Amino acid sequence: MTENNVAGLPAGDEKYYTLGAEVHDTKANTDVPIEKIWPDRQFNAKLVNPANRRKMTVIVVGTGLAGGAAAASLGEAGYHVENFCYQDSPRRAHSIAAQGGINAAKDYKNDNDSVYRLFYDTVKGGDYRARETNVYRLADVSSNIIDQCVAVGVPFAREYGGLLDNRSFGGVQVQRTFYAKGQTGQQLLIGVYQSLSRQVAAGTVHMHSRHEMLELIVKDGHARGIVTRDMVSGKIESWTADAVVIASGGYGNVFFLSTNAMGCNTTATWRAHRKGAYFANPCYTQIHPTCIPVHGENQSKLTLMSESLRNDGRIWVPKRAEDADKDPRQIPEADRDYYLERIYPSFGNLVPRDIASRQAKNMCDEGRGVGPAIKEIGPDGKERMVRRGVYLDFSDAIERLGKRGVAAKYGNLFDMYKQITAEDPYETPMRIYPAVHYTMGGLWVDYDLESSIPGLYVAGEANFSDHGANRLGASALMQGLSDGYFVLPNTMNDYLAGNHEGKLPDDDPAVVEAVASVKDRVNKLLAVKGERTVDSFHKELGQIMWEYCGMARSEEGLKTAIDKIRVLRDEFWKNVKVTGVNEDLNQTLERAGRVADFLELGELMCIDAMHRRESCGGHFRVESQTPEGEALRDDKDFLYVAAWEFTGDGQKPELHKEPLVYKAIELKQRSYK
């Protein structure tokens, strides 16, 4: 590590951030064996009498798997729940887009799976940068998740004998992924929606669709409510409660092009961050290796092709660059490089996402990429044309299983690919390339999923807790349902038992201040009256983030990105063009507020990536790699969670380190060879 200066930081870092006190999770009793920590916490957490729950109100922001499950479960428990989403229906939450499956340690395939193995695979897959207590709990409740989903009617795939079927996902050598064809997220979300609808009908949950959270209300240091904007009428309202849950998803759209729905944003979490909630590990973003490649300059969305395809599809590129523009069916077997099978013989095409993504980039950087060449800006700032694609080939699977057998497993994915590309994957190999997908960073939470603001809980992808530096495939759905169905209902009671203040009046100073800040921000955006569109700013930000904070990062590049983002943000507030008025449906205003938050988050992501001078999982620093080009961790200097505190507009963020302690797992370098 570079020499420290008087501020306790590496020389030069004092320009970007300050160092604060360490932060610790005090809710998990690590003096007991890891398998007893969750039962111990459940027993020692305070309870709320069922009759008293009816007197308490909880706000839940988000209706995906985490938010919807939390709202339904808390409503079922007897609490009054105010549930918010910006979509026109809870069923439009982005969880619906998940395709491949959900993990659980049931060992239905009798291939030596277990709770401990799922725990171990998850910590290892995250490159030993996850908190092991939270991960073990996730593995422990995974089987309960499947039982719950079956009970509400999720139509999981089944074997001939009627048992639930399983398939493999990246980073593991067992079959533990439950699935519903290629639409698992959709089916799970429908199950959650049914549970949620039952509580809406019962009157315990009050649903507010087309409402976007724009501010967190904090009184006496505790989260007490939110401020929303009605996206149809523009009405700005305050809502107060005894506690708040944010389950608003991740921030992958900071890159502009991602697999996320175009409405996905960071505003709910970023507004909470600005009110005092620590933001943990923002540089940990996941690049998914199995996406339809970029095909032009005017795209606004990338499409995910499920990781489940890597069960039967084989990934390859031509051995010679001169074959890159040939029809793949005309390239003989001897001239194909099945590079993942060659480099990682133990895991082959099912290596973790970060590894598969980097190797795809390496093949294309060597000039062996396939598909049309696209224009991009190189590290030297000059334009170049590069083929960004590799083949995902099902010819062996079709020969082995038949077309009907492949269609039974992946038919809807094949249809989707054909609709988008006008190519038939039954006849010619798919072309895939990595794209921004999931974010492992998020608001810092303790074992109870409570943030650094008492009374503010964070669930699902919006928090940082369970995946470390890389998420294994089929674990996002597992975490969302675990947090919503099983964790929050057993931890929030500890807070609510001692903090039942009821709703705040509209004239409370904390409410008045929060509402005024939202109105001021909206008016400021409308008053700029510049000449440049919101989307042009978002697209430029995305290009900066992808080039300098994407698949590979360097100190020089990250410092360049920080400077560019600051200049872009200044221009945004001077020259953005926001048409229309607040008191109406105004999608330009909606996007402007979200992009303003992305511009602030993007800078923090680059500062976090710059300060972490190691490679781990999805965070690959070119200065820290093995001779074979693999990620090289630095456990001596970076075995911690980076939790960032907002200190004010124009002020340097403050870094709080949470040391990571491994008692149940041996800390070692990852290997999938």
Side-chain angles (χ1 to χ4, degrees):
M1 191 171 180
T2 55
E3 184 177 351
N4 286 353
N5 60 27
V6 291
L9 302 176
D13 279 21
E14 71 279 0
K15 294 170 52 180
Y16 299 95
Y17 63 96
T18 61
L19 189 62
E22 283 189 352
V23 62
H24 297 271
D25 170 30
T26 60
K27 304 285 180 62
N29 179 12
T30 55
D31 291 333
V32 301
I34 196 164
E35 65 273 12
K36 295 183 179 180
I37 292 176
W38 180 228
D40 176 82
R41 180 59 187 149
Q42 288 176 290
F43 179 75
N44 287 295
K46 299 173 185 176
L47 299 179
V48 177
N49 183 294
N52 288 336
R53 296 173 199 163
R54 295 191 292 270
K55 306 172 185 176
M56 299 180 180
T57 301
V58 177
I59 287 172
V60 178
V61 180
T63 58
L65 294 187
S73 299
L74 292 169
E76 179 75 33
Y79 296 104
H80 177 71
V81 180
E82 300 285 346
N83 197 188
F84 296 84
C85 67
Y86 67 78
Q87 297 93 345
D88 54 1
S89 164
R91 287 183 58 176
R92 296 291 295 274
H94 189 56
S95 299
I96 201 170
Q99 298 166 341
I102 176 172
N103 289 329
K106 280 187 172 290
D107 195 28
Y108 279 180
K109 291 293 186 179
N110 196 28
D111 54 2
N112 206 20
D113 198 11
S114 65
V115 167
Y116 188 87
R117 189 177 296 280
L118 174 53
F119 161 57
Y120 172 81
D121 287 343
T122 304
V123 173
K124 177 184 176 183
D127 218 350
Y128 301 90
R129 289 294 178 264
R131 186 193 290 150
E132 70 171 13
T133 52
N134 290 63
V135 178
Y136 190 89
R137 176 177 62 192
L138 176 64
D140 193 28
V141 304
S142 63
S143 292
N144 296 339
I145 296 170
I146 302 303
D147 295 341
Q148 168 74 12
C149 293
V150 171
V152 298
V154 174
F156 286 120
R158 294 180 181 268
E159 295 179 325
Y160 176 77
L163 296 177
L164 300 186
D165 196 14
N166 292 118
R167 56 190 177 197
S168 295
F169 260 60
V172 304
Q173 292 179 303
V174 297
Q175 297 180 79
R176 65 162 68 102
T177 303
F178 295 78
Y179 64 98
K181 208 169 185 179
Q183 50 186 240
T184 312
Q186 178 182 7
Q187 298 302 328
L188 291 174
L189 187 63
I190 290 172
V192 166
Y193 180 67
Q194 291 175 148
S195 301
L196 185 59
S197 296
R198 180 174 183 269
Q199 296 308 312
V200 171
T204 62
V205 176
H206 187 195
M207 179 59 60
H208 306 270
S209 59
R210 304 297 293 272
H211 281 68
E212 183 169 21
M213 172 186 163
L214 296 181
E215 188 59 280
L216 180 72
I217 298 172
V218 178
K219 182 175 176 62
D220 298 329
H222 289 242
R224 296 296 305 279
I226 63 173
V227 178
T228 63
R229 178 179 179 271
D230 185 316
M231 296 163 65
V232 177
S233 69
K235 184 178 181 181
I236 294 171
E237 299 174 90
S238 62
W239 310 84
T240 58
D242 295 292
V244 177
V245 176
I246 292 180
S248 55
Y251 49 89
N253 273 354
V254 70
F255 290 87
F256 185 69
L257 285 178
S258 81
T259 66
N260 289 199
M262 291 184 66
C264 293
N265 63 85
T266 191
T267 290
T269 51
W270 192 253
R271 294 291 105 191
H273 172 60
R274 289 177 59 95
K275 279 295 187 76
Y278 295 169
F279 209 114
N281 300 333
C283 77
Y284 288 167
T285 54
Q286 181 164 82
I287 314 296
H288 196 296
T290 318
C291 303
I292 297 178
V294 175
H295 65 258
E297 297 181 43
N298 297 315
Q299 272 183 270
S300 56
K301 173 81 173 64
L302 294 174
T303 303
L304 172 69
M305 299 306 296
S306 170
E307 183 173 314
S308 63
L309 295 171
R310 291 199 274 151
N311 272 274
D312 290 299
R314 300 180 70 193
I315 297 172
W316 63 275
V317 292
K319 289 182 177 179
R320 298 190 301 268
E322 53 266 32
D323 289 341
D325 59 352
K326 288 184 177 179
D327 184 321
R329 293 168 293 185
Q330 303 304 316
I331 301 176
E333 191 75 13
D335 293 336
R336 301 179 178 187
D337 180 9
Y338 295 90
Y339 57 90
L340 292 178
E341 299 174 29
R342 169 174 57 83
I343 301 172
Y344 308 101
S346 292
F347 285 76
N349 295 297
L350 287 172
V351 292
R353 291 174 174 178
D354 58 314
I355 291 175
S357 294
R358 281 197 295 275
Q359 290 298 350
K361 180 180 184 296
N362 291 341
M363 297 302 115
C364 295
D365 288 346
E366 291 176 8
R368 295 193 285 146
V370 299
I374 61 170
K375 182 170 66 176
E376 62 182 36
I377 307 297
D380 56 1
K382 297 180 180 178
E383 288 187 1
R384 60 185 182 184
M385 302 299 290
V386 183
R387 298 179 190 275
R388 292 293 182 190
V390 300
Y391 289 125
L392 179 60
D393 195 333
F394 280 84
S395 56
D396 284 2
I398 292 172
E399 183 176 344
R400 184 178 74 255
L401 303 172
K403 184 175 178 179
R404 289 183 62 184
V406 171
K409 287 177 140 182
Y410 313 112
N412 63 309
L413 298 173
F414 276 49
D415 292 343
M416 182 170 67
Y417 182 88
K418 185 176 181 180
Q419 289 290 328
I420 293 172
T421 66
E423 297 175 4
D424 187 350
Y426 292 107
E427 301 297 331
T428 187
M430 290 183 180
R431 284 181 293 107
I432 58 168
Y433 192 70
V436 173
H437 180 51
Y438 188 89
T439 52
M440 286 74 67
L443 294 183
W444 183 90
V445 292
D446 61 17
Y447 192 64
D448 283 2
L449 304 187
E450 189 174 21
S451 75
S452 53
I453 300 177
L456 176 64
Y457 291 78
V458 191
E461 192 179 357
N463 74 36
F464 89 101
S465 66
D466 289 8
H467 305 296
N470 174 63
R471 177 178 68 80
L472 291 182
S475 288
L477 306 184
M478 177 173 60
Q479 186 208 349
L481 292 176
S482 169
D483 289 355
Y485 276 141
F486 299 105
V487 180
L488 286 175
N490 286 284
T491 60
M492 291 191 71
N493 43 271
D494 186 71
Y495 174 83
L496 291 168
N499 295 274
H500 174 37
E501 304 295 331
K503 296 184 178 182
L504 297 173
D506 291 344
D507 60 355
D508 186 279
V511 176
V512 172
E513 183 275 331
V515 172
S517 70
V518 170
K519 291 181 177 178
D520 289 347
R521 182 176 169 84
V522 167
N523 291 334
K524 184 179 178 181
L525 286 167
L526 290 168
V528 177
K529 299 188 184 302
E531 299 179 350
R532 188 171 170 187
T533 65
V534 174
D535 285 352
S536 72
F537 281 103
H538 194 182
K539 187 173 184 178
E540 184 173 345
L541 172 65
Q543 290 169 341
I544 294 170
M545 296 299 297
W546 180 250
E547 179 61 36
Y548 299 107
C549 196
M551 293 182 67
R553 296 109 183 246
S554 70
E555 181 150 350
E556 179 184 4
L558 290 162
K559 289 179 177 178
T560 298
I562 293 168
D563 291 340
K564 287 178 175 289
I565 292 170
R566 289 173 176 174
V567 170
L568 185 65
R569 187 168 64 244
D570 287 343
E571 184 188 354
F572 176 88
W573 286 105
K574 294 175 183 176
N575 196 33
V576 69
K577 182 179 183 179
V578 183
T579 56
V581 297
N582 174 63
E583 293 75 23
D584 200 353
L585 176 65
N586 190 337
Q587 293 183 318
T588 302
L589 176 61
E590 295 165 18
R591 292 198 300 271
R594 297 167 188 170
V595 172
D597 291 330
F598 278 139
L599 284 162
E600 294 182 7
L601 170 63
E603 179 179 341
L604 183 63
M605 290 171 65
C606 292
I607 291 173
D608 186 37
M610 183 205 69
H611 112 276
R612 188 170 287 276
R613 293 175 172 86
E614 66 163 350
S615 292
C616 55
H619 169 62
F620 188 77
R621 283 289 295 266
V622 297
E623 304 93 338
S624 183
Q625 55 183 302
T626 67
E628 295 80 24
E630 304 288 356
L632 181 62
R633 291 198 325 267
D634 179 356
D635 295 332
K636 176 178 176 293
D637 294 313
F638 293 100
L639 190 60
Y640 59 79
V641 174
W644 296 91
E645 181 180 1
F646 179 78
T647 60
D649 287 317
Q651 303 299 309
K652 292 179 285 190
E654 187 169 86
L655 171 63
H656 301 272
K657 299 178 182 179
E658 180 199 339
L660 288 170
V661 179
Y662 292 99
K663 293 184 177 181
I665 283 183
E666 179 186 358
L667 189 66
K668 57 187 178 182
Q669 288 291 332
R670 282 195 308 174
S671 175
Y672 291 94
K673 295 184 176 181

